Amino acid sequence: MDPNWQPPACWYEPVFSPKQLKAAVATGEGGLVNAHVWWSNGLWVDHYEKGKSDTDFDPNFPGGTTADGYKNYNIGKKGMFWRSTVREGMYQDSKAWDCGRVMFWQDAGTIPKDKNAPTPEILAAFAYGKIKVPDTEIELKPQDLSTVNLPTWVWLDKGTFTNVQVRADLPGTGLWAVTRAMPVALHLEPGTEDAQTYPASGDCEINADGSIGTPYTKGASEGEPSCGVNYLRSTSGEPYQLKASINWDISWKGTGGAHGDLPDGTFETSQDVSVQEVQAVNR
């Protein structure tokens, strides 16, 4: 994730249908009317059943603004009552008061016209954090011991790396976003300057079927692999650390045709490679 991106300090989200709110008031002793302010049960009845107006705690207007009341909890209407919430660890931050409205009504399938209402971008970022991609595990041949000047083949079977996506929805609002991670390439770093990669860039493209490189077959050692490493010097004691990293291109789309990109992901693994040198004697 982009290290500079942070979720907002607060936002609004749907919490009660009309029937749910009426039932909660009937059995409760009051509760949070926004993320910070507790109302007595009487105030809930006055505002949401009897239609009495009250005050929104808007930091941009000293003294607040007027919040119109409701009749019988809007029973019979389609929609939800929305209330503010604050991100964990931000309750003492002044920005957490930016969402100071008392719980309010929003018609079904609509989003509040408020800068602190959720957006497709926010849902996309939330979905980003839930994406799980396959571990970066590669096949090597030879597997245990490589030989100087003989290529080590690297590949992955088909279907290992395919697109991964996560969808985030805000129920009852029509707001959604799908974040997709698409594997682009496997990058190899041999762990020593005394080596060459195939291809020279070290970037092995991921094939349409999710495979990488070409599996080693008997007799193929004399050729060059489409993805691999050729070590030019043997190891002495400590093995080389071959690093393999998958680069994932990450994008999103959402409600109303909204779309964009998110920071790409790189997931890396490393494994020991011991390299021997074979002496040949010509007679």
Side-chain angles (χ1 to χ4, degrees), residues 202-237:
D203 294 325
C204 304
E205 292 186 1
I206 296 180
N207 303 318
D209 62 2
S211 65
I212 298 175
T214 304
Y216 176 84
T217 57
K218 187 176 181 180
S221 58
E222 295 180 0
E224 292 183 354
S226 59
C227 182
V229 180
N230 186 10
Y231 287 100
L232 307 178
R233 186 184 297 272
S234 63
T235 51
S236 55

Side-chain angles (χ1 to χ4, degrees), residues 206-275:
I206 296 180
N207 303 318
D209 62 2
S211 65
I212 298 175
T214 304
Y216 176 84
T217 57
K218 187 176 181 180
S221 58
E222 295 180 0
E224 292 183 354
S226 59
C227 182
V229 180
N230 186 10
Y231 287 100
L232 307 178
R233 186 184 297 272
S234 63
T235 51
S236 55
E238 293 294 326
Y240 296 130
Q241 290 289 305
L242 173 62
K243 293 183 179 179
S245 56
I246 297 289
N247 298 324
W248 296 77
D249 181 69
I250 303 178
S251 60
W252 68 273
K253 61 181 180 180
T255 306
H259 64 278
D261 294 319
L262 286 165
D264 294 341
T266 300
F267 299 87
E268 181 181 273
T269 188
S270 62
Q271 58 192 87
D272 294 343
V273 176
S274 296
V275 182

Side-chain angles (χ1 to χ4, degrees), residues 39-236:
W39 269 8
S40 69
N41 201 53
L43 287 173
W44 284 75
V45 171
D46 288 345
H47 188 67
Y48 296 104
E49 180 179 335
K50 297 181 178 180
K52 182 180 178 180
S53 61
D54 217 290
T55 301
D56 276 328
F57 306 93
D58 191 332
N60 298 312
F61 296 92
T65 55
T66 300
D68 294 333
Y70 304 91
K71 293 290 187 179
N72 192 29
Y73 308 99
N74 275 0
I75 295 290
K77 292 186 177 182
K78 293 183 178 180
M80 295 283 286
F81 285 95
W82 289 52
R83 184 171 60 192
S84 61
T85 189
V86 175
R87 177 160 56 95
E88 185 177 357
M90 296 294 289
Y91 278 91
Q92 304 305 317
D93 195 294
S94 60
K95 293 181 179 179
W97 281 94
D98 288 350
C99 308
R101 299 172 63 181
V102 297
M103 189 168 62
F104 60 89
W105 175 259
Q106 191 67 33
D107 289 335
T110 65
I111 303 297
K113 294 181 179 179
D114 191 295
K115 67 178 182 179
N116 295 302
T119 64
E121 290 89 343
I122 292 296
L123 291 185
F126 179 81
Y128 184 114
K130 300 297 181 181
I131 284 180
K132 303 296 183 185
V133 299
D135 293 334
T136 306
E137 296 180 355
I138 57 176
E139 298 284 346
L140 300 179
K141 186 68 176 184
Q143 184 175 7
D144 300 318
L145 186 62
S146 295
T147 301
V148 170
N149 290 325
L150 288 179
T152 296
W153 291 56
V154 177
W155 75 92
L156 283 165
D157 291 333
K158 65 180 181 180
T160 300
F161 289 98
T162 56
N163 295 344
V164 178
Q165 67 180 35
V166 173
R167 180 183 174 104
D169 291 90
L170 195 59
T173 67
L175 195 68
W176 62 272
V178 173
T179 296
R180 185 184 71 167
M182 180 175 68
V184 177
L186 169 73
H187 181 72
L188 298 176
E189 295 184 19
T192 174
E193 294 182 356
D194 295 315
Q196 62 184 107
T197 58
Y198 304 96
S201 64
D203 294 325
C204 304
E205 292 186 1
I206 296 180
N207 303 318
D209 62 2
S211 65
I212 298 175
T214 304
Y216 176 84
T217 57
K218 187 176 181 180
S221 58
E222 295 180 0
E224 292 183 354
S226 59
C227 182
V229 180
N230 186 10
Y231 287 100
L232 307 178
R233 186 184 297 272
S234 63
T235 51
S236 55

